[in-house]
Amino acid sequence: MTRFEGKTALVTGGAKGIGAATAKRLASEGATVVVADFDESAAQETAQAIGGHAVRCDVTKREDVEAAVDAAASHGSLDLLVTCAGIIRDNLLFKMTEDDWDAVIDTHLKGTFHAARAAQKHMVEQRSGKMVLISSTSALGNRGQTNYSTAKAGLQGMCKTLAIELGPYNVNVNCVAPGFIETAMTRQTAERMGVPFEKFKEAVSEQVPLGRVGQPEDVAGLIAYLCSEDASYVSGQVVYVAGGPRI
Ligand code: NDP
């Protein structure tokens, strides 16, 4: 398929996990992909494998994000923005530090704000663009994630507001909210809980109607749809990709 021929995509947090699978999927369908990540060598590895470009970027830093957006736009246009950069700093409220709160809120909320604000300049001028923000089922509440669930719920509000503001300029903004996806992030959760990852996945799978945990490619497929012209009349939506409702 060549749905993204002639399009340029910027994927933050694109070096690993869901971001890397998204970068790969968009590139496989013809997009020129710029992988922006904290982890420069991993970003370069991912970009090289898909014939894309890498840029070191800490999404909490406005200058870094603006430089990444400019680097993407230098390929002729900035058509697609997918904001995957994310971290967790889980703890029950009484043990959660101010640093845990700030790091998570800054990465997810401020990071996405920086990226959306910088990208809209190009997209509004072009009168076209697609943004996909990454929320989570944790937006609905999850023990030990006051910081993360707040950020992920905030992103759903951001998505709807941006869809209202940018719709008149033919820019679609949607949110994808994954459930448990097998990445470094969920491995980190298992480690913190002291549970072997395979056992953790088995336990989670029992709570998922489709009977398995998700893979980054499951999320990338939905993101690619939302970035495509098939979704040209879809905006301001939150789409859950979690193997079914919680049971
Ligand atoms: P990964 O840890 O595999 O990938 C996240 C990437 O973001 C890493 O490469 C990480 O770099 C990078 N990153 C972290 N902080 C920054 C920053 N400040 N600036 C730039 N890049 C940064 O996680 P996932 O692929 O699992 O997560 C991707 C997104 O999906 C996140 O927003 C996450 O919250 C969300 N999500 C994930 C779910 C899951 O089950 N895995 C479920 C629901 C949502 P480094 O490794 O160096 O920190």
Side-chain angles (χ1 to χ4, degrees), residues 16 18 37 57-59 84 108 135 148 152 179 181 183 186:
K16 296 177 203 150
I18 294 168
D37 205 286
C57 168
D58 175 351
V59 295
C84 294
H108 294 273
S135 178
Y148 186 79
K152 292 306 197 185
I181 309 297
T183 67
T186 39

Side-chain angles (χ1 to χ4, degrees), residues 77-146:
S77 58
L78 174 58
D79 307 288
L80 316 171
L81 170 70
V82 186
T83 57
C84 294
I87 58 166
I88 46 172
R89 294 282 184 276
D90 295 356
N91 234 326
L92 293 175
L93 180 61
F94 76 103
K95 287 195 259 181
M96 186 171 284
T97 65
E98 197 174 336
D99 280 351
D100 292 335
W101 172 267
D102 287 344
V104 168
I105 297 294
D106 279 1
T107 303
H108 294 273
L109 277 183
K110 201 199 262 187
T112 305
F113 162 70
H114 284 324
R117 193 177 55 166
Q120 62 80 31
K121 283 187 202 149
H122 297 276
M123 293 179 175
V124 165
E125 206 175 292
Q126 290 162 195
R127 295 292 193 272
S128 76
K130 304 252 187 313
M131 296 187 190
V132 180
L133 319 182
I134 310 301
S135 178
S136 164
T137 50
S138 295
L140 304 171
N142 200 20
R143 190 177 162 82
Q145 291 196 316
T146 302

